Amino acid sequence: MNKFLYILLAFTILSSCSEYQKALKNEDIATKFKMGEDYYNEGKFAKANKLFAQIVPNYRGKPQAEKLMFLYSNSFFQMKDYYTAGYQFERFASSYPKSEKLEEASFLGSKSYYMLSPIYSKDQKETKEAIEKLQNFINLFPQSEYLSEANKLVKELDYKLEKKAFETAKQYNTISDFPASVKSFDNFMFNFPGSTLREEALYYRLDSAYKLAVNSVEYKNTINGVVHLKKERLEQAKEFSTAFKKAFANSKHLEEVNKMASTIDEELQKYSTKS
């Protein structure tokens, strides 16, 4: 019995392959469309896509073209060819602005760009492009059934940009480029004022400013005279420590912040003694 089922299964597969090969060679575009749609509905998107690709030029201007182009575009999405899917869905939206599938096609097109967004440690060009595409969709379809998912995707992408900016600033701290670290964290907090990484950003900004200050030279010469560079940096670090404690009074970093603040005060006291 098992042997019989195996033979029957093998015969069915071979027969199906034979039908598919015949369809590829068949010049009847209606047959290709029908079989391509059948494969599509069965979830065999690669086979459907190959058949659709053969007949897309033949259906331009015909009533069935709209349906074909949506199926063709979505077959790329289902095959995880997101570059082509995004392009094809945009073509669909441009070609059929009154289609009942316009909203779905626009969402899947923008989601294709989301799927191309890399991990945060890599260049975020695609992430920024995906945010732009999704935001355009949200603006065009504010009542869409896909609105909740679109907003969720934008939020994920925004966090990726936050994480990228945060880790870049933190890396400057790690390699002891403290001026760059302070500046980068300042930019981070300006660009992402509501970030969940704000506590860590304020802490590492303080840490960078503190290390920069305590390791500074006493003064520098300028055109207008002598500027106490170390004192200026200590005062900035003090401002940062005060801002941190005000914003995060129960932080896990509080003990370390208090130690830095104490050292800063001791160093600043030396200038009071001198004067």
Side-chain angles (χ1 to χ4, degrees):
M1 185 65 178
N2 289 339
K3 184 177 180 180
F4 174 75
L5 289 174
Y6 176 80
I7 293 172
L8 181 62
L9 179 62
F11 177 78
T12 302
I13 293 173
L14 289 172
S15 177
S16 175
C17 290
S18 178
E19 289 178 12
Y20 175 64
Q21 292 301 324
K22 287 180 181 179
L24 287 174
K25 297 175 183 178
N26 196 327
E27 294 185 3
D28 184 356
I29 60 173
T31 299
K32 290 179 186 287
F33 195 158
K34 174 64 170 59
M35 182 167 282
E37 189 175 1
D38 288 343
Y39 279 126
Y40 179 95
N41 292 331
E42 292 171 8
K44 299 175 181 177
F45 299 108
K47 287 185 175 182
N49 179 275
K50 198 168 184 179
L51 287 166
F52 293 152
Q54 290 185 338
I55 60 175
V56 163
N58 303 94
Y59 274 91
R60 289 197 182 108
K62 294 184 179 181
Q64 306 97 318
E66 180 183 328
K67 179 179 182 179
L68 173 62
M69 287 307 299
F70 180 85
L71 298 179
Y72 183 52
S73 301
N74 199 32
S75 66
F76 284 111
F77 185 88
Q78 298 299 331
M79 291 162 59
K80 300 183 179 181
D81 182 353
Y82 299 118
Y83 280 107
T84 309
Y87 170 74
Q88 291 295 346
F89 275 125
E90 287 183 343
R91 283 188 63 195
F92 177 89
S94 176
S95 300
Y96 306 102
K98 296 182 179 181
S99 172
E100 63 178 22
K101 287 287 190 179
L102 177 64
E103 182 180 319
E104 184 179 0
S106 298
F107 173 68
L108 291 174
S110 59
K111 188 174 181 178
S112 296
Y113 287 92
Y114 162 83
M115 299 301 293
L116 292 170
S117 173
I119 60 174
Y120 77 85
S121 58
K122 294 187 177 181
D123 182 79
Q124 294 301 300
K125 177 184 176 182
E126 288 87 354
T127 300
K128 293 174 183 176
E129 189 172 16
I131 291 173
E132 181 182 345
K133 298 290 184 182
L134 284 161
Q135 196 59 58
N136 286 341
F137 170 80
I138 291 169
N139 294 339
L140 286 171
F141 301 97
Q143 304 300 322
S144 173
E145 63 179 292
Y146 305 106
L147 186 64
S148 177
E149 185 177 357
N151 282 322
K152 180 182 176 182
L153 298 181
V154 170
K155 188 175 181 180
E156 288 180 20
L157 295 170
D158 279 337
Y159 180 76
K160 196 177 289 188
L161 293 182
E162 288 180 31
K163 185 70 171 173
K164 172 72 173 181
F166 174 84
E167 292 297 336
T168 298
K170 187 178 177 182
Q171 180 63 23
Y172 284 127
N173 175 278
T174 301
I175 63 175
S176 301
D177 187 348
F178 301 123
S181 182
V182 171
K183 183 177 180 180
S184 294
F185 277 120
D186 279 339
N187 290 337
F188 173 86
M189 285 176 287
F190 178 80
N191 292 325
F192 307 104
S195 174
T196 56
L197 298 170
R198 183 173 176 80
E199 179 180 349
E200 294 300 301
L202 283 172
Y203 171 73
Y204 282 106
R205 182 183 70 164
L206 167 60
D207 183 70
S208 296
Y210 168 78
K211 290 173 179 174
L212 178 63
V214 296
N215 292 301
S216 291
V217 295
E218 187 65 23
Y219 62 85
K220 68 177 180 179
N221 291 317
T222 68
I223 295 174
N224 298 320
V226 175
V227 175
H228 290 285
L229 181 62
K230 184 170 184 175
K231 182 182 178 184
E232 286 186 351
R233 288 174 172 174
L234 286 166
E235 288 172 343
Q236 182 184 56
K238 183 176 177 65
E239 288 178 12
F240 290 167
S241 69
T242 301
F244 182 90
K245 287 188 284 186
K246 183 178 180 180
F248 301 100
N250 299 312
S251 172
K252 64 181 180 181
H253 298 298
L254 196 59
E255 183 178 350
E256 187 62 30
V257 170
N258 284 331
K259 288 180 181 178
M260 285 189 274
S262 178
T263 301
I264 292 168
D265 286 338
E266 289 174 10
E267 291 291 321
L268 284 172
Q269 186 63 36
K270 295 176 183 178
Y271 290 93
S272 299
T273 303
K274 288 177 184 179
S275 58

